[in-house]
Amino acid sequence: MTEQRGNWTSSAGFVLAATGSAIGLGNLWKFPFITWENNGGAFVLVYLVCIAAVGLPIMMAELLVGRKTQKSAVGALKEAAGPAWGLVGLWGVLCGFTLLSYYTVIAGWSLFYFVQTIGWTASGFPAGLATGDLFGEQVSNAPLQLMMSLGFSIATVSVVYFGVQRGIERIARLFLPILFAILVLMLVSALGMSGAGEAIAFIFRPSFSELEPVGVLEALGHSFFTLSLGMGAMITYGSYIARNQSLVKAAGTIVLLDTVIALVATVIMFSVIFSVAGMAEQVGGSTVGMLFISLPELFYTEVPFGIILGPLFYVLVALAALTSTMSLLEVVTSYVIDEHGIERHKATVMCGSAVFVFTIFAALSFSDVPFLSTLAVFEGKTGWFETADHFVSNWMLPTGGLAITIAVGWFMTREQSESELVDETTPGWFSYGVWRFFIRYVAPVAVAAIVIAVLRGTDFS
Ligand code: TRP
């Protein structure tokens, strides 16, 4: 390979890119919904414990494997833990490929709602519009779905095409501050609403009698998804980190930011929902409900400054999604670059196009297309989209995560991992011994619990 390997220009650039990968539809779309389903408080507390006890140690593990080897998922695991572990990397690449294929479709919906809200802001929210029907019409409109997902795929490819510094890092540096600013504006507006107090109590007041055991596993499963763990994405991003930077500090910052943003998004959404009489009963039913059915109308009827915040909110969703899709595509592309010696520009277009073929399948899952809309492999999941989502969330991420944890905890020596995590830049709160205990025992047992639960029929998608 003649090309020089890319590197982040600075520690802040890397942290922003990795935080952008972590913050995505998982924070804005999935977390508020599962918090709702699991009755808030106690679930949130369990989630925080999972993030700290499992998510954070695995985040450090993935980053250290990447930086140590300076290779993407497949090569990195091979070199760090042994040749057979390359298969785990390949499993991760496949997982990134599959997740990207349907994640792009949801990202496309945010474009649709952006355009809609711009229209409503300009000429008023149409009286009597049923937003549930609107959602149904847009997902089943095949040409529209194809166009939006194609648009989003092109955006993703365009970023990754320019590489680590000029593509990924540059976009993350530009978009994350915008994303934070929009969230702060929305939070201020939401906290002024009458339902804010009730929302905060719902989210932060634990009542353990309302949490079912499966909620614990759901919290654990989501901590993987939201931190982009289990598929080598953080190994890949880690491989571009310079030597003189503390991995521990970076991991801590990424995990903290991701968690804060998930909580802020939840406070915003619940404040709105609790402010509207009867809304609390209507929400739920589906994950899309909150983001694409309840909220659009509420911006125009309830939220202070909603006519401005409405379109901004869907920009936020789109930006959060893009900083995640570019990281997913990077997992696949960097594998092709590193392991097959293909040059980045060509590799990006190739991978992006290959993924898009499957995006088409996901995009048409809600139209009347035989097979794509009827496929039924998993119970209660109909169509290509739901099948892919179920397979990734329930099977690929937990098994990949378990394997990565074992690779780092049991197939790398103490010296190998310690030299990456501990140096003069390591913050005082970090204890290598505690980390090693968590990565060898706590994390694998916890993740194995998810895998066993899935085998016994629990659904995390
Ligand atoms: N963390 C992303 C979110 O919360 C989703 C995700 C999971 C992801 N694994 C990833 C994104 C790998 C990029 C890379 O929406």
Side-chain angles (χ1 to χ4, degrees), residues 21-27 99 103 225-228 231 233 324 327-328:
S21 166
I23 297 174
L25 299 168
N27 303 59
L99 176 53
Y103 200 94
F225 186 87
T226 191
L227 295 174
S228 305
M231 62 167 77
S324 295
S327 140
L328 286 163

Side-chain angles (χ1 to χ4, degrees), residues 253-288:
T253 312
I254 299 162
V255 169
L256 189 69
L257 284 173
D258 182 76
T259 308
V260 168
I261 299 291
L263 292 174
V264 167
T266 311
V267 168
I268 293 170
M269 283 184 213
F270 290 7
S271 298
V272 176
I273 288 163
F274 280 120
S275 298
V276 184
M279 199 53 170
E281 286 74 52
Q282 278 175 46
V283 176
S286 79
T287 325
V288 290

Side-chain angles (χ1 to χ4, degrees), residues 410-447:
W410 295 89
F411 287 80
M412 283 177 83
T413 63
R414 177 177 267 274
E415 291 69 42
Q416 285 171 329
S417 48
E418 192 166 13
S419 63
E420 287 298 323
L421 293 179
V422 182
D423 54 35
E424 63 283 3
T425 59
T426 309
W429 54 265
F430 180 73
S431 150
Y432 177 80
V434 172
W435 174 81
R436 193 161 167 87
F437 176 73
F438 273 79
I439 207 73
R440 280 165 75 90
Y441 303 101
V442 179
V445 169
V447 183

Side-chain angles (χ1 to χ4, degrees), residues 56 59-60 63 247-257 429:
L56 182 61
M59 175 67 75
M60 293 175 187
L63 294 179
L247 290 186
V248 170
K249 219 186 279 170
T253 312
I254 299 162
V255 169
L256 189 69
L257 284 173
W429 54 265

